[in-house]
Amino acid sequence: MNRHRNSESSSLQNSEPIFSGQHGQRDKNEQTVSTTSTFLPHLPEAEVRVKFRGCLLGGAVGDALGAPVEFMKRAEIVRQFGARGIQDMVPAYGVLGAITDDTQMTLFTAEGLLRGYVRSQRRGICHPPSLIDAAYRRWLHTQEESPGGTGKTDRGWLFQQTELFAQRAPGMTCIAALKAKRILGTPADNDSKGCGGVMRVAPVGMMLKALSAEHSALRDANFRQAFDLACQAAALTHGHPTGQLTAGAFAAIIFLLLEGQSLRDSIEQALVLLREQHHHEETTAAINRAVDLAERSTPPEQALDWLGEGWIAEEALAVGIFCALTAKDFESGVVMAVNHNGDSDSTGLIAGHLLGALHGIDAVPERWLKNLELRGVLEIVADDLATVAKWTLDDDQSAAGFAESDFYTARYPGS
């Protein structure tokens, strides 16, 4: 969800990243061999799986917990749910554990990234923002069509998930920007810095971290690319540099948390990268304010009032950071992040991504997970983001190699 203010656009939208790796020679028009080999998708190592699932599903449960109270003031939340506020899932949009457009768009960000990687490895060329933009177009169709409405075959596995065809108060900035666009991968023509750009980019940090694990020599380049590509992904719908740079900082922090660094160290390293950018001041100030309030042990209700309601990007990230820094565990941090005056689903999601990446899926309460909408889909996407660098997508002539390539190409068509 987002509301926005206006200003100028960012220079970060002009770079054109491509995923590093060995590019295959198998073109989409090349005939494949017949094979009876079956393929089971890669699963991450246990430690990696815990972190990646924690990050993605942690964000989704924060989104779902905050969804019923998104447009409520804290005083209203307390009147309805008691002095501690909302503590457990209650129905939103008629569904217990319902996700909102925040998690929907996060899933489509992941899908665009994975389709971009497939394309880069099989064709040797890819402009990731264009593939992410195409994924957002598919999300837009879920807001306007019935399942199966077009019959197109290139829309992939995610588009087949019928629960995604649900309007959950989608951000009007995102809708308007996607409808107005004529060329995929180009930045939005607006000055919005609403939180709709930052809330969907955790998968950028996740996938670039996974690629670094398999290619350690590329680690520093991939860290910077996580920042840059998240900025570009946000720029597809949000034209204000603060809306973009906040997304970059968030993805960079996710990258570092999945690497095993502390939250405080991750924030500091992201700030170093952030300060190198033009127009960083608003995002830098918001993050520093959150860190300062956390270090002063400011009471949460007072701190969240000072940090803002979270409708704009830097405020949403600041709220998520403060809650993650001061929480004793995953549950208390996410509860804190949704019980305030503002954009509860987005701040809950951001805090959930941070705390889930930090503590892992085992820290996420099962009573929240058991009713989480699209839980199985989220688990699959988290595992795919974690294992993407292991996928065989090139010209391996073995039956098993073709089966694996065909499996992932069908799930994430690189077209």
Side-chain angles (χ1 to χ4, degrees), residues 5 28 32 73 139 176 194 232 237 260 271 288 291 294 307 340 409:
R5 300 174 186 167
K28 66 174 182 176
T32 62
K73 296 294 185 183
W139 169 77
Q232 292 173 318
T237 55
L271 281 169
N288 282 335
V291 172
L307 291 172
H340 68 103
T409 302

Side-chain angles (χ1 to χ4, degrees), residues 46-83:
E47 182 178 352
V48 174
R49 192 180 204 186
V50 163
K51 298 275 279 184
F52 273 69
R53 286 194 175 190
C55 181
L56 197 61
L57 277 76
V61 298
D63 180 26
L65 187 68
V69 297
E70 178 191 2
F71 299 105
M72 298 170 64
K73 296 294 185 183
R74 176 170 171 77
E76 298 175 82
I77 298 172
V78 168
R79 278 198 300 271
Q80 182 168 339
F81 296 100

Side-chain angles (χ1 to χ4, degrees), residues 132-175:
I132 297 171
D133 210 1
Y136 294 159
R137 292 276 187 95
R138 288 187 289 278
W139 169 77
L140 181 62
H141 285 308
T142 69
Q143 305 301 290
E144 299 178 333
E145 296 180 4
S146 299
T150 65
K152 290 186 177 180
T153 59
D154 64 348
R155 292 196 165 180
W157 163 79
L158 186 64
F159 193 76
Q160 298 169 20
Q161 310 308 311
T162 57
E163 293 107 314
L164 286 168
F165 287 77
Q167 289 192 1
R168 303 287 169 76
M172 290 300 101
T173 297
C174 292
I175 296 285

Side-chain angles (χ1 to χ4, degrees), residues 53-67 89 97-100 102-104 106-107 330 334 345 348-353 364 368-369 372-375 378:
R53 286 194 175 190
C55 181
L56 197 61
L57 277 76
V61 298
D63 180 26
L65 187 68
M89 300 288 183
I99 60 169
T100 76
D102 294 33
T103 299
Q104 290 175 346
T106 299
L107 284 169
F330 180 94
V334 170
D345 62 328
L349 173 136
I350 290 171
H353 281 315
V364 182
W368 290 353
L369 286 169
L372 179 64
E373 188 176 31
L374 288 169
R375 176 181 179 175
L378 288 155

Side-chain angles (χ1 to χ4, degrees), residues 51 84 91 100 124 209 223 312 355-357 370 372 383 406:
K51 298 275 279 184
R84 298 170 62 210
T100 76
K209 170 59 185 74
F223 173 58
I312 56 176
L355 289 163
K370 69 179 182 180
L372 179 64
D383 289 353
D406 290 345

Side-chain angles (χ1 to χ4, degrees), residues 312-346:
I312 56 176
E314 73 273 28
E315 290 181 0
L317 181 59
V319 169
I321 284 174
F322 173 84
C323 294
L325 280 172
T326 58
K328 66 182 183 197
D329 54 25
F330 180 94
E331 180 175 346
S332 61
V334 170
V335 166
M336 188 191 311
V338 302
N339 284 289
H340 68 103
N341 289 325
D343 194 358
S344 296
D345 62 328
S346 296

